[in-house]
Amino acid sequence: MSTASPRHISVLGREAVEFLAPHAGGIYVDATFGAGGYSKRILEVAGTRVIGIDRDRTAVAEAFDLVERAEGRLTVVQDRFSNLAEVCAAVGAPQVDGIVMDIGVSSMQLDRAERGFSFRHDGPLDMRMGQEGASAADVVAVASEKDLANIIYIFGEERHSRAVARAIVKARQDNPIVTTKALADIVSSVVRARPNEIHPATRTFQALRIFINEELDELQTALHASERALKPGGRLVVVSFHSLEDRIVKNFLASRAKQGGGSRHLPEVEQIAPSFEILTKRPVVANDNETAVNPRARSAKLRAAQRTANPSHHEDMSFDWPTLRSVMKGGRS
């Protein structure tokens, strides 16, 4: 079975599957299926079974041939990867041997103008991975200037976020912003291009994509779900492409790998036993050969951990950023 897709190359694919360490009889979750790059590598190990999850119905539909070739060893489900524990239980595998997830947009989505993810291809300003709910055009149309600035600053780390938000609000008073080119042109009018730097609209587009798909919320929820779904000895491998994503993964694993919760001054308080053992003291990054072939790999960081036999920790999720519901409800100003 081939390990590469002509349309999509899984970043750090070899390293991710090596950390996953698939074995015969093992059940593994490819939580962000895409073109199935990780799944293909896992299925090369005889006797493995893979549960693929993707919220994009196009990715699920295009997995048909791979499912057929896998002869019963691959199941692909359309759902959010934050629901992975429920998906696994529904297909008869409430406990699994490994989970791998690649956070963010795939090149399959970026390369299709009609999906509206990229300023490099003019198309509708959409960006919805699941093709449902509010689109990027909807957010740009109704979000207040303050909310837009916060979204672009927090999720895109764009230092010119206030100027970009101001330009968007001014432009939409004349005409609706409904295409990727229109938004890119607005951003480029206030964020100047510099030689050998990224396109001026890169951070704004990234911010809107992360925001409307609730990617950071999804990631936090998926990490907690993985803790519940993994067997003792099962492995979690996460590849991220954004500093906020990597920070969430790093902090989650650090909190789960240390023993705490009690105090030497309060011996009656029960200590919380670690639920994970970290396998990557430092994040694994792509080598020069991979980045030359796949520029997307430049920002990739891989972190891996192994589940202990101790119980899951309390779910301590907190979202310190604007939410899609609150922004869409707040309206324009």
Side-chain angles (χ1 to χ4, degrees):
M1 187 176 294
S2 172
T3 61
S5 165
R7 294 168 294 117
H8 177 75
I9 303 171
S10 293
V11 175
L12 293 168
R14 177 182 58 80
E15 293 86 349
V17 176
E18 284 179 355
F19 274 107
L20 204 62
H23 58 80
I27 302 175
Y28 301 90
V29 179
D30 185 347
T32 50
F33 183 79
Y38 296 133
S39 293
K40 294 171 187 176
R41 289 180 180 271
I42 296 167
L43 291 168
E44 287 182 344
V45 178
T48 53
R49 177 186 169 194
V50 177
I51 302 165
I53 303 171
D54 204 296
R55 66 195 290 186
D56 189 334
R57 68 172 67 97
T58 302
V60 175
E62 293 182 353
F64 180 79
D65 288 344
L66 182 57
V67 171
E68 287 286 296
R69 295 199 303 273
E71 299 180 334
R73 294 167 54 210
L74 173 63
T75 302
V76 181
V77 178
Q78 183 184 352
D79 208 328
R80 292 173 176 250
F81 74 115
S82 58
N83 295 328
L84 66 89
E86 292 78 7
V87 170
C88 290
V91 298
Q95 294 282 282
V96 298
D97 297 275
I99 298 169
V100 60
M101 54 183 79
D102 173 331
I103 311 304
V105 68
S106 75
S107 57
M108 294 166 58
Q109 293 163 328
L110 286 171
D111 291 342
R112 290 175 172 168
E114 69 273 15
R115 300 301 301 275
F117 283 98
S118 177
F119 48 80
R120 302 185 189 282
H121 308 285
D122 190 22
L125 188 59
D126 194 325
M127 300 192 192
R128 296 172 298 172
M129 290 181 179
Q131 297 170 286
E132 58 187 14
S135 69
D138 295 329
V139 171
V140 166
V142 305
S144 69
E145 182 176 323
K146 179 180 178 182
D147 282 338
L148 282 170
N150 284 337
I151 290 166
I152 295 166
Y153 180 76
I154 293 170
F155 300 117
E157 299 179 315
E158 172 58 76
R159 65 181 184 273
H160 302 293
S161 59
R162 290 182 181 178
V164 173
R166 193 159 49 246
I168 289 172
V169 170
K170 182 179 179 181
R172 75 188 184 189
Q173 292 172 352
D174 297 324
N175 293 293
I177 305 167
V178 295
T179 67
T180 54
K181 183 179 186 303
L183 180 60
D185 287 347
I186 292 166
V187 178
S188 298
S189 71
V190 293
V191 181
R192 302 303 179 187
R194 295 182 179 179
N196 302 317
E197 288 195 358
I198 60 175
H199 188 283
T202 300
R203 293 187 177 92
T204 296
F205 270 66
Q206 172 185 279
L208 285 169
R209 189 207 82 220
I210 289 174
F211 176 71
I212 70 159
N213 292 295
E214 302 175 297
E215 293 178 36
L216 301 189
D217 309 55
E218 286 282 298
L219 174 57
Q220 286 212 65
T221 306
L223 292 171
H224 287 85
S226 298
E227 184 181 26
R228 301 193 306 273
L230 282 168
K231 297 176 181 178
R235 292 189 169 190
L236 171 65
V237 181
V238 185
V239 178
S240 62
F241 298 85
H242 186 282
S243 60
L244 288 175
E245 297 164 349
D246 181 60
R247 196 176 310 143
I248 289 171
V249 178
K250 177 183 177 181
N251 291 343
F252 173 83
L253 293 179
S255 71
R256 268 41 185 181
K258 68 180 180 182
Q259 186 163 326
S263 167
R264 61 188 178 90
H265 302 296
L266 298 169
E268 71 277 9
V269 178
E270 183 180 358
Q271 293 281 319
I272 301 174
S275 59
F276 277 101
E277 175 189 353
I278 295 175
L279 302 177
T280 49
K281 292 184 178 179
R282 295 181 179 178
V284 177
V285 297
N287 59 33
D288 291 341
N289 291 335
E290 180 167 4
T291 57
V293 174
N294 187 6
R296 181 172 177 255
R298 285 195 298 263
S299 59
K301 292 183 178 179
L302 180 155
R303 295 185 187 272
Q306 183 165 296
R307 189 69 170 84
T308 69
N310 298 318
S312 298
H313 290 204
H314 174 70
E315 295 191 1
D316 52 356
M317 287 181 286
S318 61
F319 304 137
D320 298 324
W321 44 74
T323 66
L324 183 59
R325 179 177 296 180
S326 67
V327 168
M328 294 303 292
K329 186 176 180 181
R332 181 183 299 187
S333 69

